[in-house]
């Protein structure tokens, strides 16, 4: 089939009717991805490759306009099905180097996304050293008027205790007009974000978007636990997006392909919606994430998890401290009890730099840890334990007994970071050690939940022989994902939590395998709401573990505030429940009861943000879930604090005119007659009024530092009251 694009006849290789995208081959050789009617020159080659000795055709900070990418010509393609997936693989070839690229585009019927991955094969006669490879490129993006001036760029900064901080700015703030007509060339720069080291989300989320004023949105996600990078900029009067895994400049990644060798990029996905903006785009991304991850019973069971760490034992568990917490957690309605860090600590100098063998402490548990695990089961809960499997403390016996090749090395020296060495799970001794640990803990002790933490950024990676550090990191992470899958293969009902000092490794390479994601280590309940509200941008709601740590010294408002923020995701309960008054404990029980009544709706619901994605210092924050039978909405009202020393946030008041009242618009419910009902806390003095004609909900929270969970439906659910 051919299509006319400009003056030339070009072959249509692939089309996505929902996204309005086509892959088109030019008779002269190039193959590009775009939409009908776009200028051919504004589009990018389907695959961009930087290789040593084969750089770019226009030098600068961009990783597009590569010499190899410009030469990759159409060879053939095939289309087929893989279950529910539609798959097209297009083969391109570079006549100069013999490099062959197989790009596979995957989607589902009626879906608003395309997932891409590229496999490169050296079919030439000489080795080729890769320095960057795109997974997906798209050019020709414009606003409704056909320009860049109406495009808004959205990206997310990420940090320890401050995850999922979304920012927005006009694209022109970062990609300024340069008068191409006067110079005859594009600019040399772009807007880029990338990872650094082994915390894949230690700086930013691998997710970003472009939107315009009509509600059109392009949203992308890179799925890598090692290096990743995206860039967007201007090309021939339109915007472009290029998505990459690790590269040489940012991640010390170089991959040498000898003749016959191959390399496969990390996957990436592009979502496009015509209307609805970011809410609609994140809804499509949420549906995609549910399709691509490994299936597991936990995705629908959503048990309530108690974890003894946050603001409670803080890594100091003992039999005497745990027993009353176990009894109180079981009585409150928890279904999993996790003993967090410290259960293995028998070292007089502290456990941080001595971890690795993961044997239970006799000093902490005189009757043995199995006594504690049995007590958890006797109170109706599944026992869980914390592990940090990829590290070995410098004082651990394993640092001396495992082969040197089982650890990360650079320049022939074993890497050390914050008192730890790092295992390379490509080495059989490293993997055998961890298999033995898990088989003992899960197979013999009967633990059903493992929290896998990751608290050091080990840097660019490991050099195994002649490989680059970045290639070593990617190799390790792929072996790590394979190991995680093997655990679930042996123990299908085992639940794995992904944690990286909270949310510092919050990517969908990990989350396609693990069942939950720790969203933060944030201990201040007033600072958690923007993280909790935005967590669904990074992870499906049913995988988003949000801390709820009520304490006996909290007021009822404070207990409800910390609890309510977790109820549209996964409750990670903590706190000294055993020391609470009956009234306080009843508030906790009522929250858990309300959560259990609605949790079956969460796995099929899509996220929404009626006040927009939250800013770190917003006074009012709103996030919700849109389900088949109802819409659930959480609203927080935070009090301003003068400075950091006060311990609270310094919010800005940008949504409405009154301190205690906010009006939010919920477009999909416009015209629907419904009754707002209060799910939690049952004792709140909040009020809510619904204007069906405008699709607006007006909520009053009379006191600061309070939060409520509302249900919007024609029929109120059980265990609720009208407000």
């Amino acid at each position: 089939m051919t299509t006319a694009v400009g003056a030339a006849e070009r072959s249509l290789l692939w089309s996505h009717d929902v996204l309005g995208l086509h892959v088109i081959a030019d008779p002269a050789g190039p193959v590009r991805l775009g939409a009908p009617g776009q200028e051919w020159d504004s589009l990018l080659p389907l695959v961009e490759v930087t290789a040593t000795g084969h750089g770019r055709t226009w030098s600068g900070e961009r990783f597009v306009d590569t010499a190899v990418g410009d030469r990759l010509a159409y060879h053939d393609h095939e289309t087929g099905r893989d279950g529910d997936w539609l798959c097209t693989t297009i083969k391109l070839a570079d006549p100069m180097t013999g490099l062959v690229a197989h790009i596979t585009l995957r989607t589902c019927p009626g879906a608003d996304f395309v997932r891409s991955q590229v496999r490169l094969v050296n079919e030439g006669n000489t080795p080729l050293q890769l320095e960057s490879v795109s997974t997906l490129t798209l050019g020709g993006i414009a606003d409704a008027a056909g320009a860049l001036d109406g495009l808004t760029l959205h990206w997310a900064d990420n940090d320890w205790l401050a995850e999922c901080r979304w920012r927005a700015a006009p694209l022109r703030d970062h990609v300024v007009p340069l008068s191409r007509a006067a110079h005859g060339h594009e600019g040399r720069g772009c807007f880029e974000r990338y990872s650094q080291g082994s915390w894949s989300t230690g700086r930013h989320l691998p997710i970003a978007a472009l939107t315009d004023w009509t509600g059109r949105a392009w949203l992308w996600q890179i799925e890598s636990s090692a290096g990743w990078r995206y860039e967007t900029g201007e090309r021939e009067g339109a915007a472009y997006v290029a998505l990459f895994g690790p590269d040489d400049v940012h991640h010390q990644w170089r991959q040498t392909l000898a003749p016959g060798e191959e390399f496969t990029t990390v996957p990436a996905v592009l979502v496009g919606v015509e209307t609805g903006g970011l809410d609609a785009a994140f809804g499509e991304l949420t549906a995609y994430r549910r399709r691509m991850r490994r299936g597991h019973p936990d995705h629908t069971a959503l048990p309530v998890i108690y974890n003894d760490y946050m603001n409670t034992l803080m890594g100091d568990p003992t039999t005497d401290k745990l027993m009353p917490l176990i009894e109180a957690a079981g009585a409150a309605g928890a279904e999993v009890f996790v003993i967090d860090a410290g259960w293995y600590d028998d070292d007089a100098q502290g456990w941080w730099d001595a971890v690795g063998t993961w044997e239970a402490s006799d000093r902490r548990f005189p009757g043995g840890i199995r006594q504690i695990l049995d007590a958890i089961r006797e109170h109706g809960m599944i026992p869980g334990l914390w592990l940090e499997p990829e590290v070995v403390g410098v004082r651990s016996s394993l640092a001396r007994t495992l082969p040197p090749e089982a650890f990360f090395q650079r320049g022939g020296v074993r890497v050390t970071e914050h008192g730890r060495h790092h295992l390379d799970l490509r080495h059989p001794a490293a993997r055998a050690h961890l298999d033995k640990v898990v088989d003992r803990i899960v197979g013999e002790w009967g633990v059903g939940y493992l929290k896998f933490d990751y608290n050091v950024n080990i840097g660019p990676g490991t050099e195994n022989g002649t490989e680059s550090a970045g290639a070593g990191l990617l190799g390790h992470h792929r072996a790590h994902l394979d190991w995680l899958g093997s655990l679930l293969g042996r123990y299908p009902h085992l639940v794995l939590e992904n944690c990286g000092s909270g949310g510092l490794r919050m990517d969908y390479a990990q989350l396609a395998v693990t069942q939950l994601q720790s969203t933060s280590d944030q201990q201040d309940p007033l600072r958690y709401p923007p993280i909790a509200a935005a967590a669904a941008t990074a992870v499906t709601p049913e995988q988003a573990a949000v801390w709820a740590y009520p304490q006996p010294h909290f007021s009822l408002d404070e207990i409800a505030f910390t609890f309510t923020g977790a109820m549209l995701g996964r409750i990670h309960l903590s706190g000294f429940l055993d020391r609470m008054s009956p009234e306080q404990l009843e508030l906790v029980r009522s929250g858990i009861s309300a959560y259990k009544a609605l949790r079956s709706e969460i796995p099929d619901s899509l996220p929404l943000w009626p006040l927009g994605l939250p800013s770190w210092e917003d006074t009012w924050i709103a996030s919700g879930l849109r389900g088949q039978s109802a819409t659930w909405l959480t609203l927080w009202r935070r009090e301003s604090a003068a400075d950091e020393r006060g311990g609270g946030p310094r919010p800005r008041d940008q949504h409405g005119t009154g301190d205690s009242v906010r009006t939010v618009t919920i477009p999909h419910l416009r015209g629907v007659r419904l009754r707002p009902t209060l799910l939690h806390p049952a004792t709140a003095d909040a009020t809510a009024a619904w204007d069906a004609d405008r699709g607006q909900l007006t909520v009053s929270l009379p006191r600061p530092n309070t939060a409520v969970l509302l249900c919007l439906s024609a029929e109120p659910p059980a265990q609720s009251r009208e407000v």
Side-chain angles (χ1 to χ4, degrees):
M1 179 178 179
T2 61
T3 183
V5 182
E9 290 292 323
R10 297 181 174 122
S11 300
L12 177 63
L13 308 179
W14 174 88
S15 63
H16 194 302
D17 294 338
V18 178
L19 292 179
L21 295 179
H22 300 295
V23 174
I24 303 168
D26 188 273
V31 179
R32 300 184 182 183
L33 172 65
Q38 293 169 333
E39 292 294 330
W40 177 257
D41 289 341
S42 73
L43 308 183
L44 295 169
L46 193 56
V47 178
E48 295 276 23
V49 179
T50 304
T52 306
H54 306 268
R56 286 158 287 190
T57 59
W58 176 240
S59 187
E61 304 299 317
R62 306 178 180 201
F63 286 13
V64 298
D65 294 316
T66 62
V68 174
D70 191 55
R71 295 195 304 259
L72 284 170
Y74 172 69
H75 187 277
D76 60 41
H77 72 286
E78 61 180 6
T79 297
R81 294 191 73 112
D82 179 11
D84 294 335
W85 294 82
L86 302 173
C87 308
T88 296
T89 299
I90 301 168
K91 182 179 179 182
L92 311 173
D94 175 15
M96 180 178 293
T97 62
L99 184 68
V100 173
H102 304 259
I103 180 168
T104 299
L105 303 173
R106 295 164 60 88
T107 189
C108 294
D112 286 325
F113 69 82
V114 58
R115 187 181 199 239
S116 180
Q117 198 165 14
V118 176
R119 181 170 65 94
L120 297 180
V121 183
N122 185 355
E123 296 188 2
N125 298 318
T126 59
L128 188 65
Q129 183 169 258
L130 308 175
E131 297 178 0
S132 69
V133 186
S134 69
T135 290
L136 181 64
T137 62
L138 175 67
I141 301 173
D143 63 22
L148 275 68
D149 297 341
L151 291 177
T152 299
L153 175 65
H154 308 261
W155 73 98
D157 295 335
N158 215 58
D159 198 358
W160 183 55
L161 312 180
E163 291 85 351
C164 303
R165 299 188 331 276
W166 280 87
R167 303 179 64 187
L171 180 63
R172 279 300 190 200
D173 283 3
H174 297 276
V175 181
V176 299
L178 299 175
S179 184
R180 186 184 189 282
H183 301 92
H185 286 289
E186 299 289 352
R188 300 182 186 271
C190 60
F191 178 90
E192 66 174 2
R193 289 292 182 265
Y194 52 88
S195 64
Q196 180 174 300
S198 59
W199 275 333
S200 60
T201 57
R203 297 162 58 94
H204 310 284
L205 295 182
I207 312 162
L210 287 170
T211 62
D212 73 11
W213 56 273
T214 69
R216 176 75 171 176
W218 294 105
L219 173 67
W220 56 88
Q221 167 182 283
I222 305 171
E223 296 159 15
S224 175
S225 294
W228 59 264
R229 175 183 174 274
Y230 65 77
E231 67 175 77
T232 182
E234 183 174 5
R235 193 174 194 273
E236 297 289 344
Y240 75 90
V241 173
L243 312 181
F244 299 85
D247 64 69
D248 185 24
V249 174
H250 302 90
H251 311 100
Q252 299 184 30
W253 178 88
R254 296 174 303 282
Q255 184 80 36
T256 299
L257 294 187
E261 290 184 339
E262 63 181 61
F263 168 75
T264 301
T265 67
V266 302
V269 64
L270 178 73
V271 170
V273 296
E274 287 287 346
T275 59
L278 284 181
D279 279 13
F282 275 114
E284 291 296 328
L285 185 60
T286 300
Y288 159 79
R289 289 166 171 169
R290 288 168 174 159
R291 287 178 183 268
M292 54 80 69
R293 69 191 178 191
R294 181 187 182 118
H296 195 281
D298 184 75
H299 292 152
T300 53
L302 278 57
V304 174
I305 300 154
Y306 184 95
N307 181 298
D308 69 23
Y309 185 85
M310 192 60 68
N311 292 352
T312 310
L313 300 187
M314 300 296 290
D316 188 27
T318 66
T319 296
D320 290 343
K321 292 177 180 179
L322 284 170
M323 284 302 193
L325 290 176
I326 291 169
E327 181 178 0
E335 295 154 303
V336 177
F337 191 103
V338 180
I339 304 171
D340 207 281
W343 59 269
Y344 39 78
D345 178 21
D346 252 343
D347 195 299
Q349 299 180 54
W351 57 262
W352 179 263
D353 58 358
V355 296
T357 58
W358 308 113
E359 297 282 356
S361 167
D362 293 331
R363 175 177 58 86
R364 291 180 175 276
F365 311 115
I369 196 169
R370 293 203 192 192
Q371 177 190 25
I372 307 299
L373 302 178
D374 287 343
I376 293 171
R377 282 185 282 264
E378 288 167 4
H379 284 85
M381 296 176 288
I382 296 170
L385 287 177
W386 178 98
L387 288 175
E388 197 169 355
E390 293 165 82
V391 299
V392 170
V394 296
R395 294 193 300 108
S396 171
S397 61
L398 286 169
R400 298 179 296 276
T401 58
L402 285 175
E405 298 79 16
F407 295 95
F408 274 32
Q409 304 175 62
R410 289 199 291 275
V413 178
R414 186 182 298 185
V415 177
T416 303
E417 176 69 13
H418 198 179
R420 273 97 177 272
H421 302 308
H422 197 292
L423 293 173
D424 186 339
L425 285 182
R426 295 174 296 178
H427 195 282
R431 182 157 173 162
H433 155 63
L434 291 184
D435 279 341
K436 183 178 179 181
V437 168
V438 173
D439 287 343
R440 168 167 42 86
I441 290 173
V442 177
E444 297 178 21
W445 297 358
V447 168
Y449 185 109
L450 292 177
K451 176 179 179 177
F452 283 161
D453 210 341
Y454 188 73
N455 288 305
V456 296
N457 188 331
I458 206 63
T462 180
E463 298 164 347
N464 185 1
T466 60
E467 76 176 351
S468 66
L473 182 64
L474 180 59
H476 159 75
H477 275 304
R478 285 176 165 169
H480 178 229
L481 296 175
D482 182 75
W483 177 69
L484 294 175
S486 74
L487 299 185
L488 296 173
R490 294 204 302 279
Y491 305 106
H493 294 281
L494 176 66
V495 175
L496 301 179
E497 177 189 339
N498 183 46
C499 181
S501 282
L504 301 188
R505 201 160 68 168
M506 188 159 44
D507 61 76
Y508 260 88
Q510 300 271 112
L511 287 165
V513 184
T514 57
Q515 286 67 65
L516 289 94
Q517 171 66 52
S518 176
T519 55
S520 188
D521 282 349
Q522 177 57 252
Q523 293 176 243
D524 184 342
L526 291 182
R527 293 196 182 276
Y528 215 130
I531 302 171
T537 63
V539 56
T540 64
E542 64 272 19
Q543 290 179 278
V546 177
W547 288 103
Y549 30 59
Q551 299 293 351
H553 64 275
F554 279 12
S555 68
L556 295 182
D557 276 352
E558 289 172 321
I559 291 174
F561 188 90
T562 185
F563 210 93
T564 303
M567 293 181 67
L568 292 183
R570 297 298 298 274
I571 293 179
H572 254 36
L573 183 63
S574 196
F576 290 103
L577 305 184
D578 57 312
R579 305 176 189 176
M580 286 187 167
S581 70
E583 186 180 21
Q584 291 173 318
L585 198 54
E586 179 55 33
L587 183 57
V588 172
R589 288 196 192 101
S590 69
I592 292 176
S593 179
Y595 176 77
K596 289 179 178 179
L598 73 85
R599 64 182 169 184
S600 64
E601 305 280 353
I602 294 175
D604 296 317
S605 298
L606 301 178
L608 57 99
W609 296 269
L611 294 176
L613 293 176
S615 295
W616 187 246
E617 296 178 345
D618 280 349
T619 303
W620 279 79
I621 294 172
S623 68
L625 292 178
R626 176 180 178 177
Q628 295 296 320
S629 62
T631 294
W632 295 267
L633 189 64
T634 302
L635 294 106
W636 296 262
R637 177 191 168 197
R638 299 189 294 172
E639 184 176 37
S640 298
D643 56 37
E644 183 69 18
R645 291 171 296 176
R650 291 171 295 163
R652 60 172 180 259
D653 194 352
Q654 65 177 26
H655 300 304
T657 57
D659 289 338
S660 63
V661 178
R662 282 298 176 273
T663 297
V664 300
T665 301
I666 307 176
H668 75 274
L669 293 179
R670 186 175 286 119
V672 178
R673 305 298 168 183
L674 55 81
R675 290 174 288 177
T677 53
L678 180 68
L679 295 184
H680 187 77
T683 57
D685 53 1
T687 63
W690 174 246
D691 185 329
D693 294 334
R694 291 184 172 87
Q696 291 183 333
L697 180 72
T698 299
V699 177
S700 170
L701 292 179
R703 296 182 306 283
N705 300 331
T706 55
V708 291
L709 173 62
L710 301 173
C711 178
L712 308 179
S713 66
E715 293 297 329
Q719 301 183 3
S720 65
R721 69 173 178 84
E722 294 187 39
V723 290

